[in-house]
Coordinates of all heavy atoms in Angstrom, one line a residue:
M1174 N -6.0 -8.6 -8.8 CA -6.0 -9.1 -7.4 C -4.6 -9.6 -7.2 O -4.1 -10.4 -7.9 CB -7.1 -10.1 -7.2 CG -7.1 -10.6 -5.8 SD -8.4 -11.9 -5.5 CE -9.9 -11.1 -6.0
A1175 N -4.0 -9.2 -6.1 CA -2.7 -9.8 -5.7 C -2.7 -10.2 -4.3 O -3.4 -9.6 -3.4 CB -1.6 -8.7 -5.9
N1176 N -2.1 -11.3 -4.0 CA -2.0 -11.8 -2.6 C -3.4 -12.0 -2.0 O -3.6 -11.8 -0.8 CB -1.2 -10.9 -1.8 CG 0.3 -10.9 -2.2 OD1 0.9 -12.0 -2.4 ND2 0.8 -9.7 -2.5
G1177 N -4.4 -12.4 -2.8 CA -5.6 -12.8 -2.3 C -6.6 -11.7 -1.9 O -7.7 -12.0 -1.3
K1178 N -6.4 -10.5 -2.3 CA -7.3 -9.4 -2.1 C -7.4 -8.5 -3.3 O -6.3 -8.2 -3.9 CB -7.1 -8.7 -0.8 CG -5.9 -7.7 -0.9 CD -5.8 -6.8 0.3 CE -4.8 -5.7 0.2 NZ -5.1 -4.8 -0.9
P1179 N -8.5 -7.9 -3.6 CA -8.6 -6.9 -4.7 C -7.9 -5.6 -4.2 O -7.8 -5.3 -3.0 CB -10.1 -6.7 -4.9 CG -10.8 -7.5 -3.8 CD -9.8 -8.2 -3.0
A1180 N -7.4 -4.9 -5.2 CA -6.8 -3.6 -4.9 C -7.9 -2.7 -4.2 O -9.1 -2.7 -4.5 CB -6.4 -2.9 -6.2
G1181 N -7.4 -1.9 -3.3 CA -8.3 -0.9 -2.6 C -8.9 -1.5 -1.4 O -9.5 -0.8 -0.6
V1182 N -8.8 -2.8 -1.1 CA -9.3 -3.4 0.0 C -8.3 -3.4 1.1 O -7.1 -3.8 0.9 CB -9.8 -4.9 -0.3 CG1 -10.2 -5.6 1.0 CG2 -11.0 -4.8 -1.3
R1183 N -8.7 -3.1 2.3 CA -7.7 -3.0 3.5 C -7.1 -4.4 3.7 O -7.8 -5.4 3.8 CB -8.5 -2.5 4.7 CG -7.6 -2.3 5.9 CD -8.5 -1.9 7.1 NE -7.7 -1.8 8.3 CZ -7.1 -0.7 8.8 NH1 -7.2 0.4 8.0 NH2 -6.4 -0.7 9.9
C1184 N -5.8 -4.4 3.9 CA -5.1 -5.6 4.2 C -5.5 -6.1 5.6 O -5.5 -5.4 6.5 CB -3.6 -5.4 4.1 SG -2.6 -6.8 4.5
I1185 N -5.6 -7.4 5.7 CA -6.0 -8.0 7.0 C -4.8 -7.9 8.0 O -5.0 -8.1 9.2 CB -6.5 -9.5 6.9 CG1 -5.4 -10.4 6.3 CG2 -7.7 -9.5 6.1 CD1 -5.7 -11.8 6.4
Q1186 N -3.6 -7.6 7.5 CA -2.5 -7.5 8.3 C -2.2 -6.1 8.8 O -1.3 -5.8 9.5 CB -1.2 -8.0 7.6 CG -1.3 -9.4 7.1 CD -1.4 -10.4 8.2 OE1 -1.3 -10.1 9.4 NE2 -1.7 -11.7 7.9
L1187 N -3.1 -5.2 8.4 CA -2.9 -3.8 8.8 C -3.6 -3.5 10.1 O -4.8 -3.7 10.2 CB -3.5 -2.8 7.7 CG -3.3 -1.3 7.9 CD1 -1.8 -1.0 7.9 CD2 -4.0 -0.6 6.8
G1188 N -2.8 -3.1 11.1 CA -3.4 -2.9 12.4 C -4.2 -1.6 12.6 O -4.1 -0.8 11.7
D1189 N -4.9 -1.5 13.7 CA -5.6 -0.3 13.9 C -4.7 0.9 14.0 O -5.2 2.1 13.8 CB -6.4 -0.4 15.2 CG -7.6 -1.4 15.1 OD1 -8.0 -1.7 14.0 OD2 -8.0 -1.9 16.1
D1190 N -3.5 0.7 14.3 CA -2.5 1.8 14.4 C -1.9 2.1 13.1 O -0.9 2.9 13.0 CB -1.4 1.5 15.4 CG -0.6 0.2 15.1 OD1 -1.0 -0.5 14.1 OD2 0.3 -0.1 15.8
L1191 N -2.4 1.5 12.0 CA -1.9 1.6 10.6 C -0.5 1.1 10.4 O 0.2 1.6 9.5 CB -2.0 3.1 10.1 CG -3.4 3.7 10.2 CD1 -3.4 5.1 9.7 CD2 -4.4 2.9 9.3
R1192 N -0.1 0.2 11.3 CA 1.2 -0.5 11.1 C 1.0 -1.9 10.7 O 0.0 -2.6 11.1 CB 2.0 -0.4 12.4 CG 2.4 1.0 12.8 CD 3.1 1.0 14.1 NE 3.4 2.3 14.6 CZ 4.6 2.8 14.6 NH1 5.6 2.1 14.2 NH2 4.8 4.1 15.0
C1193 N 1.9 -2.4 9.9 CA 1.9 -3.8 9.4 C 2.1 -4.7 10.6 O 3.1 -4.6 11.3 CB 2.9 -4.0 8.3 SG 3.0 -5.7 7.8
M1194 N 1.2 -5.7 10.8 CA 1.3 -6.6 11.9 C 2.3 -7.7 11.7 O 2.7 -8.4 12.6 CB 0.0 -7.2 12.3 CG -1.0 -6.1 12.8 SD -2.6 -6.7 13.5 CE -3.3 -7.4 12.0
I1195 N 2.8 -7.8 10.4 CA 3.8 -8.9 10.1 C 5.0 -8.3 9.5 O 5.8 -9.0 8.8 CB 3.2 -10.0 9.1 CG1 2.7 -9.4 7.8 CG2 2.1 -10.7 9.9 CD1 2.3 -10.4 6.8
F1196 N 5.3 -7.0 9.8 CA 6.5 -6.4 9.4 C 7.7 -7.2 9.9 O 7.8 -7.5 11.1 CB 6.6 -4.9 9.8 CG 7.7 -4.1 9.2 CD1 7.5 -3.5 8.0 CD2 8.9 -4.1 9.8 CE1 8.5 -2.8 7.4 CE2 9.9 -3.3 9.2 CZ 9.7 -2.7 8.0
G1197 N 8.7 -7.5 9.1 CA 9.8 -8.2 9.5 C 9.6 -9.8 9.5 O 10.6 -10.5 9.8
D1198 N 8.4 -10.2 9.3 CA 8.1 -11.6 9.3 C 8.3 -12.1 7.9 O 7.9 -11.4 6.9 CB 6.6 -11.7 9.7 CG 6.2 -13.2 9.9 OD1 6.3 -14.0 9.0 OD2 5.7 -13.5 11.0
P1199 N 8.8 -13.3 7.7 CA 9.0 -13.8 6.3 C 7.7 -14.1 5.6 O 7.7 -14.2 4.3 CB 9.8 -15.1 6.5 CG 9.8 -15.4 8.0 CD 9.4 -14.2 8.7
R1200 N 6.6 -14.1 6.3 CA 5.3 -14.2 5.6 C 4.8 -13.0 4.9 O 3.9 -13.0 4.1 CB 4.2 -14.7 6.6 CG 4.4 -16.1 7.1 CD 3.5 -16.4 8.2 NE 3.7 -15.5 9.3 CZ 2.8 -15.3 10.4 NH1 1.7 -16.0 10.4 NH2 3.1 -14.4 11.3
R1201 N 5.5 -11.9 5.2 CA 5.1 -10.6 4.6 C 5.4 -10.7 3.1 O 6.5 -11.1 2.7 CB 5.9 -9.4 5.2 CG 5.5 -8.1 4.7 CD 6.2 -7.0 5.5 NE 5.9 -5.7 5.1 CZ 6.9 -4.8 4.7 NH1 8.2 -5.2 4.7 NH2 6.6 -3.6 4.3
P1202 N 4.4 -10.4 2.2 CA 4.6 -10.6 0.8 C 5.8 -9.7 0.3 O 6.0 -8.6 0.8 CB 3.3 -10.1 0.2 CG 2.3 -10.2 1.3 CD 3.1 -10.0 2.6
A1203 N 6.5 -10.3 -0.7 CA 7.7 -9.6 -1.2 C 7.3 -8.2 -1.9 O 8.0 -7.3 -1.8 CB 8.3 -10.5 -2.3
C1204 N 6.0 -8.2 -2.4 CA 5.6 -6.9 -3.0 C 5.5 -5.8 -2.0 O 5.7 -4.6 -2.3 CB 4.3 -7.1 -3.8 SG 2.9 -7.6 -2.7
C1205 N 5.3 -6.1 -0.7 CA 5.2 -5.1 0.3 C 6.6 -4.6 0.6 O 6.8 -3.3 0.7 CB 4.6 -5.7 1.6 SG 2.9 -6.3 1.4
A1206 N 7.6 -5.5 0.7 CA 8.9 -5.0 1.0 C 9.5 -4.3 -0.2 O 10.3 -3.4 0.0 CB 9.8 -6.2 1.3
G1207 N 9.0 -4.6 -1.4 CA 9.6 -3.9 -2.6 C 9.0 -2.6 -2.8 O 9.6 -1.8 -3.6
L1208 N 7.9 -2.2 -2.1 CA 7.3 -0.9 -2.3 C 8.1 0.1 -1.4 O 7.9 0.0 -0.2 CB 5.8 -0.9 -2.0 CG 5.1 0.4 -2.2 CD1 5.2 0.9 -3.6 CD2 3.7 0.3 -1.7
Q1209 N 8.9 0.9 -1.9 CA 9.7 1.8 -1.1 C 9.1 3.2 -1.2 O 8.6 3.6 -2.3 CB 11.1 1.9 -1.6 CG 11.9 0.5 -1.5 CD 12.0 0.1 0.0 OE1 12.5 0.9 0.8 NE2 11.6 -1.1 0.3
P1210 N 9.1 4.0 -0.1 CA 8.6 5.4 -0.2 C 9.4 6.2 -1.1 O 10.6 6.0 -1.3 CB 8.7 5.8 1.3 CG 9.7 5.0 1.9 CD 9.6 3.6 1.2
S1211 N 8.7 7.1 -1.8 CA 9.4 8.1 -2.7 C 8.7 9.4 -2.6 O 7.6 9.5 -2.2 CB 9.4 7.5 -4.1 OG 8.1 7.5 -4.6
A1212 N 9.4 10.4 -3.0 CA 8.8 11.8 -3.1 C 7.6 11.8 -4.0 O 6.6 12.4 -3.8 CB 9.8 12.8 -3.5
Q1213 N 7.7 11.0 -5.1 CA 6.6 10.9 -6.1 C 5.4 10.4 -5.4 O 4.3 10.8 -5.7 CB 7.1 10.1 -7.3 CG 6.0 10.0 -8.4 CD 6.4 9.1 -9.5 OE1 7.2 8.2 -9.3 NE2 5.8 9.3 -10.7
M1214 N 5.6 9.3 -4.6 CA 4.4 8.7 -4.0 C 3.9 9.5 -2.8 O 2.7 9.6 -2.6 CB 4.8 7.3 -3.6 CG 3.7 6.5 -2.9 SD 4.0 4.8 -2.7 CE 5.3 4.8 -1.4
C1215 N 4.8 10.0 -2.0 CA 4.4 10.6 -0.7 C 4.1 12.1 -0.8 O 3.5 12.7 0.1 CB 5.4 10.3 0.4 SG 5.6 8.5 0.7
G1216 N 4.6 12.7 -1.9 CA 4.3 14.2 -2.0 C 5.2 15.0 -1.1 O 6.1 14.5 -0.4
A1217 N 4.9 16.3 -1.1 CA 5.7 17.2 -0.3 C 4.9 18.0 0.7 O 5.4 19.0 1.2 CB 6.4 18.2 -1.3
T1218 N 3.8 17.5 1.0 CA 2.9 18.1 2.1 C 3.0 17.3 3.3 O 3.6 16.3 3.4 CB 1.5 18.3 1.6 OG1 0.9 17.0 1.5 CG2 1.4 18.9 0.2
D1219 N 2.3 17.8 4.4 CA 2.2 17.1 5.6 C 1.3 15.9 5.5 O 1.3 15.0 6.4 CB 1.6 18.0 6.7 CG 2.6 19.1 7.1 OD1 3.8 18.9 6.8 OD2 2.2 20.1 7.7
D1220 N 0.5 15.8 4.4 CA -0.4 14.7 4.3 C 0.2 13.6 3.4 O -0.4 13.3 2.3 CB -1.8 15.2 3.7 CG -2.8 14.1 3.7 OD1 -2.7 13.1 4.4 OD2 -3.8 14.2 2.9
A1221 N 1.3 13.0 3.8 CA 1.9 12.0 3.0 C 1.0 10.8 2.8 O 0.9 10.2 1.7 CB 3.2 11.5 3.6
R1222 N 0.2 10.4 3.8 CA -0.7 9.2 3.6 C -1.8 9.5 2.6 O -2.0 8.7 1.7 CB -1.3 8.9 5.0 CG -2.2 7.7 4.9 CD -2.8 7.3 6.3 NE -3.6 6.1 6.2 CZ -4.9 6.1 6.0 NH1 -5.5 7.2 5.9 NH2 -5.5 5.0 5.9
G1223 N -2.4 10.7 2.7 CA -3.4 11.0 1.7 C -2.9 11.1 0.3 O -3.5 10.7 -0.7
H1224 N -1.7 11.7 0.2 CA -1.1 11.8 -1.2 C -0.7 10.4 -1.7 O -1.0 10.1 -2.9 CB 0.2 12.6 -1.1 CG 0.8 13.0 -2.4 ND1 1.6 12.1 -3.1 CD2 0.7 14.1 -3.2 CE1 1.9 12.6 -4.3 NE2 1.4 13.8 -4.3
A1225 N -0.2 9.5 -0.8 CA 0.1 8.2 -1.3 C -1.1 7.4 -1.7 O -1.1 6.7 -2.7 CB 0.9 7.5 -0.2
L1226 N -2.2 7.5 -0.9 CA -3.4 6.8 -1.3 C -3.9 7.3 -2.6 O -4.4 6.5 -3.5 CB -4.5 7.0 -0.2 CG -4.2 6.2 1.1 CD1 -5.2 6.6 2.2 CD2 -4.2 4.7 0.8
A1227 N -3.9 8.6 -2.9 CA -4.4 9.1 -4.1 C -3.5 8.7 -5.3 O -3.9 8.3 -6.4 CB -4.4 10.7 -4.1
W1228 N -2.2 8.7 -5.0 CA -1.2 8.3 -6.1 C -1.4 6.8 -6.4 O -1.4 6.4 -7.6 CB 0.2 8.5 -5.5 CG 1.3 8.3 -6.5 CD1 1.7 9.2 -7.5 CD2 2.1 7.2 -6.6 NE1 2.8 8.6 -8.2 CE2 3.0 7.4 -7.7 CE3 2.2 6.0 -5.9 CZ2 4.0 6.4 -8.1 CZ3 3.2 5.0 -6.3 CH2 4.0 5.3 -7.4
L1229 N -1.5 6.0 -5.4 CA -1.7 4.5 -5.6 C -3.0 4.2 -6.3 O -3.1 3.3 -7.2 CB -1.6 3.8 -4.3 CG -0.2 3.7 -3.7 CD1 -0.3 3.2 -2.2 CD2 0.7 2.8 -4.5
T1230 N -4.1 5.0 -6.0 CA -5.4 4.8 -6.6 C -5.3 5.2 -8.1 O -5.8 4.4 -9.0 CB -6.4 5.7 -6.0 OG1 -6.6 5.3 -4.6 CG2 -7.8 5.6 -6.7
Q1231 N -4.6 6.3 -8.4 CA -4.4 6.6 -9.8 C -3.5 5.6 -10.5 O -3.8 5.2 -11.7 CB -3.7 8.0 -9.9 CG -3.7 8.5 -11.3 CD -5.1 8.7 -11.9 OE1 -6.0 9.3 -11.3 NE2 -5.3 8.1 -13.1
L1232 N -2.5 5.1 -9.9 CA -1.7 4.0 -10.5 C -2.5 2.8 -10.8 O -2.4 2.2 -11.9 CB -0.6 3.7 -9.5 CG 0.5 2.8 -10.0 CD1 1.3 3.4 -11.2 CD2 1.5 2.4 -8.9
E1233 N -3.4 2.5 -9.9 CA -4.3 1.3 -10.1 C -5.2 1.6 -11.3 O -5.4 0.7 -12.2 CB -5.2 1.1 -8.9 CG -6.1 -0.1 -8.9 CD -5.3 -1.5 -9.0 OE1 -4.2 -1.5 -8.6 OE2 -5.9 -2.4 -9.5
I1234 N -5.7 2.8 -11.4 CA -6.6 3.1 -12.6 C -5.8 3.0 -13.9 O -6.2 2.5 -14.9 CB -7.2 4.5 -12.4 CG1 -8.2 4.5 -11.2 CG2 -7.9 5.0 -13.7 CD1 -8.7 5.8 -10.7
D1235 N -4.6 3.6 -13.8 CA -3.8 3.7 -15.0 C -3.3 2.3 -15.5 O -2.9 2.2 -16.7 CB -2.5 4.6 -14.8 CG -2.9 6.0 -14.6 OD1 -4.1 6.4 -14.9 OD2 -2.1 6.8 -14.1
T1236 N -3.3 1.3 -14.6 CA -2.7 0.0 -15.0 C -3.8 -1.0 -15.1 O -3.5 -2.2 -15.2 CB -1.6 -0.4 -14.0 OG1 -2.2 -0.5 -12.7 CG2 -0.5 0.5 -14.0
Q1237 N -5.1 -0.6 -15.1 CA -6.2 -1.6 -15.3 C -6.1 -2.2 -16.7 O -5.8 -1.5 -17.6 CB -7.5 -0.8 -15.2 CG -7.9 -0.5 -13.8 CD -8.5 -1.7 -13.0 OE1 -9.3 -2.4 -13.6 NE2 -8.1 -1.8 -11.8
P1238 N -6.3 -3.5 -16.7 CA -6.4 -4.1 -18.1 C -7.6 -3.6 -18.8 O -8.6 -3.2 -18.2 CB -6.5 -5.6 -17.8 CG -6.5 -5.8 -16.3 CD -6.5 -4.4 -15.6
D1239 N -7.5 -3.6 -20.1 CA -8.6 -3.1 -21.0 C -9.8 -4.0 -20.9 O -9.7 -5.2 -20.7 CB -8.2 -2.9 -22.4 CG -7.2 -1.8 -22.5 OD1 -7.3 -0.8 -21.8 OD2 -6.3 -1.8 -23.4
Ligands
SF4_1462 S1 2.9 -4.1 4.4 FE1 1.8 -5.6 3.2 S2 1.2 -7.2 4.6 FE2 1.7 -5.4 5.8 S3 -0.2 -4.3 6.1 FE3 0.8 -3.5 4.2 S4 -0.1 -4.6 2.5 FE4 -0.5 -5.8 4.4

């Protein structure tokens, strides 16, 4: 759990338009600003969001503590 929510739970700052409601605000967690898009995360298809969600889910599984 980071920043008060478990992985996979929708952030309360995520708007209905899928944009961060505190983007550019100093209250935005540093981990959010540190996550930069990459070809590895976003893939090479038109479905970058779907690819990123699958990639992040796998990353979460791969880094689960034993
Ligand atoms: S960038 Fe961070 S604070 Fe903003 S919606 Fe995404 S997870 Fe939430």
